[in-house]
Amino acid sequence: QVQLQESGPRLVKPSETLSLTCTVSGDSINDYYWSWIRQPAGKGLEWIGRIYTSGNTNYNPSLKSRVTISVDTSKNQFSLKLNSVTAADTAVYYCARLARNDWHFDYWGQGTLVTVSS
Amino acid sequence: DIQMTQSPSSLSASVGDRVTITCRSSQSITTFLNWYQHKPGKAPNLLIYAASNLQSGVPSRFGGSGSGTDFTLTISSLQPEDFATYYCQQSYTTPYTFGQGTKLEIK
């Protein structure tokens, strides 16, 4: 059974960088696309971006100037960095796997609440 | 970006009811449409992929249909564990986008 677990600081100061890591267990990270998705309180789901295990990335244009997603296949992990954060970036952040066919999110992490506050 | 619009935004129903949620995309996405169930504090759970394919382990009372721009999720007989928020999501092109959600509540 594939499992994903987000980790990283839960509190980030305004203008600083939000950093999260997703650790994948139960299967190799190789040969899949992996994504970050977030949900601000009381709002819907927003796709942040995806990375293939070759390192190829695609980002949501709304966040592209501030986002970097990277992968470390040796550790079966991928990571998110979001810089110059504001209170609007406060959200539950999920990592998820994209299935090879049809690009649906078939496995998700439990999510982690990151709060941007001084 | 492709806009996804769900209706209704909220719905009250009783155990045993048949429920239908609709999702409309701002342009054709063929059958690249997925449905998720989301409960507070939990990860979203994939129900239906590619418009009509039931994800392994999901009860058969869940069904999906549609193509092009109009899609539906049907729950044939509501069970207590089905009260949650449901999201559609297009995977036709990036940026992937979700509907605003339909909150299914107990009547």
Side-chain angles (χ1 to χ4, degrees):
Chain A
Q1 176 76 349
V2 177
Q3 293 185 311
L4 289 77
Q5 180 66 56
E6 303 91 349
S7 60
R10 303 302 196 259
L11 180 64
V12 182
K13 289 182 169 55
S15 80
E16 295 190 347
T17 298
L18 179 158
S19 296
L20 293 173
T21 295
C22 183
T23 301
V24 180
S25 59
D27 196 3
S28 171
I29 198 171
N30 287 316
D31 303 325
Y32 283 98
Y33 274 96
W34 302 89
S35 267
W36 289 97
I37 297 153
R38 69 180 184 178
Q39 184 174 35
K43 296 188 178 182
L45 296 160
E46 180 182 32
W47 179 74
I48 298 171
R50 70 178 188 179
I51 188 165
Y52 191 63
T53 46
S54 64
N56 183 47
T57 54
N58 300 96
Y59 299 130
N60 192 323
S62 67
L63 296 168
K64 186 175 183 178
S65 63
R66 299 194 291 131
V67 172
T68 302
I69 299 176
S70 59
V71 64
D72 186 338
T73 55
S74 69
K75 295 183 179 178
N76 242 35
Q77 294 177 333
F78 63 106
S79 298
L80 168 70
K81 290 189 184 300
L82 180 66
N83 59 37
S84 305
V85 296
T86 69
D89 295 310
T90 294
V92 176
Y93 285 77
Y94 297 96
C95 56
R97 190 181 82 169
L98 272 162
R100 290 191 178 118
N101 299 323
D102 303 305
W103 308 116
H104 50 273
F105 298 109
D106 58 354
Y107 290 98
W108 296 66
Q110 284 295 106
T112 186
L113 174 62
V114 179
T115 301
V116 178
S117 176
S118 55
Chain B
D1 299 3
I2 297 176
Q3 306 303 314
M4 306 301 294
T5 305
Q6 286 180 235
S7 61
S9 296
S10 62
L11 176 60
S12 293
S14 302
V15 172
D17 284 354
R18 180 183 180 89
V19 167
T20 298
I21 298 169
T22 65
C23 179
R24 176 166 289 177
S25 57
S26 59
Q27 66 183 73
S28 175
I29 56 172
T30 64
T31 56
F32 284 89
L33 190 284
N34 311 303
W35 290 98
Y36 302 87
Q37 178 191 68
H38 195 194
K39 296 180 179 179
K42 300 285 185 71
N45 182 44
L46 175 68
L47 300 174
I48 302 287
Y49 65 93
S52 60
N53 294 275
L54 191 67
Q55 173 69 350
S56 176
V58 173
S60 59
R61 63 181 180 272
F62 291 94
S65 64
S67 66
T69 61
D70 294 297
F71 303 87
T72 59
L73 172 71
T74 300
I75 309 172
S76 60
S77 178
L78 272 175
Q79 299 302 301
E81 60 268 30
D82 299 338
F83 292 95
T85 300
Y86 292 84
Y87 292 94
C88 62
Q89 175 247 331
Q90 65 82 14
S91 53
Y92 181 75
T93 188
T94 60
Y96 301 131
T97 46
F98 293 84
Q100 81 278 15
T102 296
K103 187 172 184 178
L104 181 53
E105 298 174 306
I106 301 173
K107 184 183 287 185

